[in-house]
């Protein structure tokens, strides 16, 4: 293979939902040399075609399974990578319960292989996709970065907790290595163009894509999981954060890696507001001027009653403030669904 001596940011999982939106944000914020690596486990190569329409150029990309050590090391041998934004992982909670070892292997091997490659090639900038799932059912809300980890409810959640712990430990042993874990709350919505959104493969479990599918007639009804919680209307509370805001936070965090007081830090990425499931349903209906067919059903096992983020640390330290609201989430999600009628 021809060695390309470029200095670039490696975006792992760059064909996926948040990775591809982050490639747009990187481009908009002046980071030109980006290499996406993905094995299309949960995405399709046509992501790159849609990205090209938005950023006006073809993103450099490599198809590679990061959980394969040799392939990962080879990637770093062939490209002059200077930093990593690591999205690549499997993310379905129910699937992780059915196939725990698949999740342990894919999510943890990929991370460990990347850290090893970083160490070998003196790559010292690293951003990790973590999740609010690490907090479980929190005792206090809004939940701050100081809140403790709860016992992991799923193999997926465990891979995020272990991932953070491995990176923090790696940082204590490698003082020149700077890393940030970003704990996303509920990323939702799509790029405003309606061209880059969440690709649903298999059984979707996330609320907003399910609403969009129902509106498109791809599912008969939406079941709201429980209306007897101790919340404003009895349905669960979550912190829905627009994917473009999440994407922009990555660029700010990447920029911050050189300026940190210590070499490891963690930030919540949430809107700072809680919305109930029924509020999201009504917002989707009102903003898009349509009616959804929904009914109240039983609680879903393992659901957290209410959680939303304190995002003051990200605002103070990274200068990040969400620019979009729930209305933007539900309108962009519906636009994406309409542009993608074959995505069932
Ligand atoms: P996604 O599935 O759309 O994107 C992940 C990408 O990684 C996919 O394109 C997939 O093909 C790729 N991938 C998976 N394993 C790989 C491997 N071994 N080698 C190479 N590529 C691989 O998911 P997303 O929603 O964009 O999530 C990105 C990250 O954010 C994940 O780590 C996820 O756990 C985390 N996260 C997501 C959410 C959410 O609600 N979307 C919330 C919290 C955290
Ligand atoms: C949101 C709300 C449901 C579908 C997931 C992952 C977690 C993290 C964040 C990645 C809940 C309700 C949903 C439906 C419904 N992701 N709902 N009917 O549960 O916050 O967590 O995203 O790290 O690990 O588990 O997100 O979108 O599944 O649900 O009533 O058909 O919508 O009960 O209250 P959740 P979600």
């Amino acid at each position: 293979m021809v060695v390309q001596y470029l200095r670039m940011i490696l975006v792992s999982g760059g064909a996926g939902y948040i990775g591809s939106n982050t490639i747009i944000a990187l481009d908009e914020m002046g980071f030109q040399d980006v290499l996406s690596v993905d094995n299309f486990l949960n995405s399709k190569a046509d992501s790159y075609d849609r990205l090209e329409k938005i950023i006006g150029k073809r993103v450099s990309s490599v198809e590679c399974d990061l959980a394969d050590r040799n392939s990962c090391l080879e990637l770093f041998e062939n490209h002059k990578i200077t930093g990593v934004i690591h999205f690549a992982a499997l993310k379905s909670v129910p699937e992780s319960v059915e196939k725990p070892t698949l999740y342990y292997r894919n999510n943890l091997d990929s991370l460990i292989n990347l850290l090893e490659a970083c160490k070998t090639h003196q790559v010292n900038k690293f951003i990790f996709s973590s999740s609010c799932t690490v907090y479980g059912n929190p005792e206090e809300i809004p939940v701050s970065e100081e809140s403790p980890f709860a016992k992991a409810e799923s193999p997926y959640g465990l891979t995020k907790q272990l991932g953070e712990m491995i990176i923090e430990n790696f940082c204590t042993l490698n003082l020149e290595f700077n890393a940030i874990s970003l704990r996303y709350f509920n990323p939702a919505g799509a790029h405003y163009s309606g061209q880059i959104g969440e690709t649903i493969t298999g059984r979707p479990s996330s609320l907003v894509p399910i609403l969009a599918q129902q509106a498109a007639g791809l599912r008969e009804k939406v079941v709201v999981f429980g209306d007897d919680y101790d919340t404003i209307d009895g349905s669960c509370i979550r912190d829905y954060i627009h994917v473009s805001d999440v994407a922009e936070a990555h660029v700010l965090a990447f920029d911050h890696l050189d300026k940190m007081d210590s070499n490891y830090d963690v930030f919540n990425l949430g809107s700072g507001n809680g919305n109930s499931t029924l509020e999201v349903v009504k917002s989707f209906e009102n903003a898009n001027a349509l009616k959804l067919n929904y009914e109240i059903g039983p609680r879903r096992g393992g659901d957290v009653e209410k959680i939303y983020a304190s995002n003051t640390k990200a605002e103070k330290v990274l200068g990040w403030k969400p620019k979009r609201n729930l209305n933007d989430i539900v309108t962009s999600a519906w636009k994406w669904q309409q542009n993608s009628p074959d995505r069932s």
Side-chain angles (χ1 to χ4, degrees), residues 18 21-23 25 29 242-252:
I18 308 174
N21 276 285
T22 299
I23 291 173
M29 293 160 91
H242 196 288
V243 67
S244 300
D245 284 320
V246 172
E248 286 164 11
H250 285 75
V251 189
L252 296 171

Side-chain angles (χ1 to χ4, degrees), residues 146-343:
E146 305 304 316
S147 304
F149 280 8
K151 185 171 183 300
E153 293 259 353
S154 69
Y156 167 76
L158 184 64
T159 67
K160 292 300 172 191
Q161 293 185 341
L162 292 173
E164 284 198 25
M165 290 160 78
I166 288 168
I167 295 168
E168 185 172 16
N169 184 254
F170 189 80
C171 283
T172 61
L173 302 171
N174 295 280
L175 293 177
E176 68 293 350
F177 188 77
N178 298 318
I180 289 177
S181 293
L182 297 174
R183 294 177 182 154
Y184 318 153
F185 279 64
N186 288 63
H191 185 256
Y192 74 91
S193 64
Q195 292 296 319
I196 299 275
E198 189 165 8
T199 300
I200 302 302
T201 51
R203 253 180 320 129
S205 60
S206 300
L207 178 64
V208 175
I210 283 175
L211 300 183
Q213 286 193 340
Q214 204 291 307
L218 294 170
R219 60 173 60 225
E220 191 199 333
K221 64 182 177 192
V222 175
V223 178
V224 173
F225 298 137
D227 68 347
D228 56 352
Y229 288 98
D230 181 18
T231 62
I232 41 163
D233 55 22
S235 61
C236 293
I237 305 276
R238 294 287 183 279
D239 184 330
Y240 298 90
I241 177 77
H242 196 288
V243 67
S244 300
D245 284 320
V246 172
E248 286 164 11
H250 285 75
V251 189
L252 296 171
F254 191 82
D255 222 23
H256 182 67
L257 286 169
D258 289 331
K259 304 167 194 142
M260 299 203 294
D261 294 334
S262 69
N263 65 332
Y264 178 69
D265 213 344
V266 180
F267 296 92
N268 284 343
L269 296 184
S271 70
N273 301 309
N275 283 108
S276 74
T277 306
L278 285 167
E279 282 176 334
V280 179
V281 170
K282 282 168 192 148
S283 170
F284 196 101
E285 290 187 325
N286 293 338
N288 295 312
L290 50 78
K291 283 277 165 224
L292 292 168
N293 184 27
Y294 69 92
E295 65 182 34
I296 308 297
R299 291 182 175 198
R300 180 174 67 177
D303 255 342
V304 166
E305 179 171 88
K306 50 182 132 152
I307 185 166
Y308 56 92
S310 160
N311 61 11
T312 50
K313 183 176 173 191
E315 182 177 355
K316 211 162 112 191
V317 179
L318 302 179
W320 176 75
K321 219 175 151 80
K323 297 178 192 150
R324 294 123 182 132
N325 59 23
L326 186 58
N327 194 68
D328 299 314
I329 287 175
V330 294
T331 50
S332 59
W334 179 223
K335 194 170 177 185
W336 162 244
Q337 178 67 53
Q338 287 172 295
N339 279 337
S340 322
D342 59 338
R343 280 166 213 284

